[in-house]
Amino acid sequence: MGDLSEASARAPKQDRSRATRRRLLEAAVACLAERGWAGSTVAVVAEHAGVSRGAAQHHFPTREDLFTAAVEYVAEERSHALRALTGKSRADVVSALVALYTGPLFRAALHLWVAASNEDQLRPRVTELEARVGRETHHIAVELLGADESRPGVRETVQGLLDMARGLGLATLLTDDTSRRERVVAQWAKLLDEALG
Amino acid sequence: MGDLSEASARAPKQDRSRATRRRLLEAAVACLAERGWAGSTVAVVAEHAGVSRGAAQHHFPTREDLFTAAVEYVAEERSHALRALTGKSRADVVSALVALYTGPLFRAALHLWVAASNEDQLRPRVTELEARVGRETHHIAVELLGADESRPGVRETVQGLLDMARGLGLATLLTDDTSRRERVVAQWAKLLDEALG
């Protein structure tokens, strides 16, 4: 009996710990997107998440730990959402891929990249994270688009599409250019469809 | 005689003033690219340019004046360089367009955009500047590529190409991915050539 009640007490504690971690990660992405790297400290994120600073530092010893984990966490959430698109038309898949780069996750990631380009402590971790997330997104895109990478040029065609999506995300940073973006995406989805055969 | 020597004294003075202005603008772009917005003050740029702080403030009363003027100045220099490509092949033009987004000017502009997304004082000026530079680049791209925008989809094809170039620039921020970029550019130059007819 003693063991059982101990085990059931442990489970909710783990759940609470996981929930706290998730709240911190989501608050970190929101802070980065809204305030940029300079305005995003562990203390600001902890307050935003309604978590004590001590608890935040228990989960993430350094600021770099917190923010790279945050961008990775949200990127993984997005990957799961993307995989659910299996079976949709290429035009729908292209729209969904581009949408990945126009929301708060991309804004947050952009702030992290730009900060990393000038901060030696952050750069190696963000570079490694970006490479990993990029490979994963490419892999999912190839599957969803039904692209045959054994054919010459197909790999580069898909890569260029993701580069375009990233560029479209950058264009929305200062102004909402949704209607222009939708026209560009519709046209490039057509070009892509012809190229992939 | 008095008038003549006054005029000739005035001319070198204007030349000196123009040269000082140009030194400040070039130093501002270099500082932004290397140190980001947070590390780029008028004082840092003046020192970098070998100009007194008073002289810098005579040319550019505010920090915002200096940095928006700097990005605009270098963008204009690039536009001139681009126009010189008239008569080159589409593949060469695409390479040159993409190269616009992978050098220090793009790095500087990126820092300015990201800072502007969080700073109310900077945002309207950078938004206006970005729109103007974007229109100009699109206009030059259409001409150099011999693209007939009266045909449906052509405008969006060229816009998508410039978005892709911007995304490729962002990808080089943390790591030098020149060989990947060259393959993507070669493939999309081919697709673009087919699309533009």
Side-chain angles (χ1 to χ4, degrees):
Chain A
M1 281 296 278
D3 278 351
L4 246 182
S5 63
E6 218 177 83
S8 58
R10 206 155 48 227
K13 204 177 155 192
Q14 282 178 353
D15 286 350
R16 276 201 308 279
S17 174
R18 252 198 300 268
T20 300
R21 191 171 189 276
R22 199 163 57 211
R23 276 217 308 284
L24 284 166
L25 294 172
E26 282 165 0
V29 168
C31 279
L32 257 185
E34 284 161 25
R35 305 170 181 226
W37 175 251
S40 296
T41 60
V42 176
V44 165
V45 172
E47 202 193 321
H48 202 283
V51 166
S52 75
R53 196 162 167 190
Q57 269 167 342
H58 166 74
H59 283 279
F60 303 102
T62 71
R63 192 181 176 204
E64 288 77 19
D65 291 332
L66 172 58
F67 287 98
T68 51
V71 168
E72 181 164 27
Y73 165 76
V74 188
E76 278 168 8
E77 297 272 294
R78 297 299 172 101
S79 292
H80 288 303
L82 260 190
R83 286 187 192 280
L85 292 174
T86 309
K88 295 267 181 191
S89 73
R90 274 192 186 142
D92 285 349
V93 169
V94 171
S95 291
L97 285 169
V98 170
L100 281 190
Y101 293 88
T102 49
L105 168 62
F106 178 74
R107 270 180 98 87
L110 187 58
H111 282 294
L112 199 64
W113 291 340
V114 168
S117 78
N118 296 111
E119 293 202 20
D120 291 339
Q121 223 175 341
L122 201 54
R123 194 182 306 117
R125 302 187 53 171
V126 174
T127 303
E128 194 270 325
L129 170 64
E130 202 210 335
R132 195 145 31 89
V133 171
R135 272 194 306 270
E136 168 80 357
T137 309
H138 179 86
H139 187 70
I140 299 176
V142 165
E143 259 177 39
L144 292 175
L145 293 166
D148 174 7
E149 289 203 311
S150 69
R151 286 177 46 214
V154 165
R155 186 177 175 75
E156 290 74 19
T157 302
V158 176
Q159 285 182 334
L161 173 74
L162 295 175
D163 285 309
M164 186 198 65
R166 204 185 287 128
L168 286 168
L170 194 50
T172 65
L173 187 64
L174 296 179
T175 42
D176 175 14
D177 71 340
T178 305
S179 66
R180 180 191 81 92
R181 186 172 65 246
E182 285 172 354
R183 289 193 302 272
V184 170
V185 167
Q187 172 64 11
W188 272 56
K190 244 167 65 184
L191 296 180
L192 189 83
D193 203 37
E194 287 162 20
L196 296 182
Chain B
M1 283 294 278
D3 277 351
L4 246 183
S5 63
E6 219 176 85
S8 57
R10 207 154 48 226
K13 202 176 157 193
Q14 282 178 350
D15 285 350
R16 274 202 308 278
S17 173
R18 251 199 300 270
T20 300
R21 191 172 188 275
R22 200 163 56 211
R23 274 218 308 283
L24 284 166
L25 294 172
E26 281 164 1
V29 167
C31 279
L32 257 185
E34 283 160 27
R35 304 170 182 226
W37 175 250
S40 295
T41 60
V42 177
V44 166
V45 172
E47 203 193 320
H48 202 283
V51 167
S52 76
R53 197 161 166 191
Q57 268 166 342
H58 166 74
H59 283 278
F60 303 102
T62 72
R63 193 181 174 203
E64 287 77 18
D65 290 334
L66 171 59
F67 288 97
T68 52
V71 168
E72 182 164 26
Y73 164 77
V74 188
E76 279 167 6
E77 297 272 294
R78 297 296 173 104
S79 292
H80 287 304
L82 259 190
R83 286 186 191 282
L85 292 174
T86 309
K88 294 267 180 191
S89 73
R90 274 194 185 138
D92 284 348
V93 168
V94 171
S95 291
L97 285 169
V98 169
L100 280 191
Y101 293 87
T102 49
L105 168 63
F106 178 74
R107 271 181 98 87
L110 187 58
H111 282 294
L112 199 64
W113 291 340
V114 168
S117 77
N118 296 110
E119 293 202 20
D120 291 339
Q121 223 176 341
L122 201 54
R123 193 181 310 116
R125 300 185 58 168
V126 174
T127 304
E128 194 269 326
L129 169 65
E130 202 210 334
R132 195 147 30 91
V133 171
R135 274 195 303 273
E136 167 81 357
T137 309
H138 179 86
H139 186 71
I140 298 176
V142 165
E143 259 178 38
L144 291 177
L145 293 167
D148 174 7
E149 287 204 311
S150 69
R151 285 179 47 214
V154 165
R155 185 175 175 74
E156 290 74 21
T157 301
V158 176
Q159 284 182 335
L161 172 73
L162 294 175
D163 286 308
M164 188 189 71
R166 206 186 285 127
L168 286 166
L170 194 49
T172 64
L173 188 63
L174 296 178
T175 40
D176 175 15
D177 71 340
T178 305
S179 67
R180 180 192 82 91
R181 185 172 66 247
E182 283 172 353
R183 288 194 302 271
V184 170
V185 167
Q187 172 63 7
W188 275 92
K190 241 167 68 184
L191 296 178
L192 191 84
D193 202 38
E194 287 161 21
L196 296 179

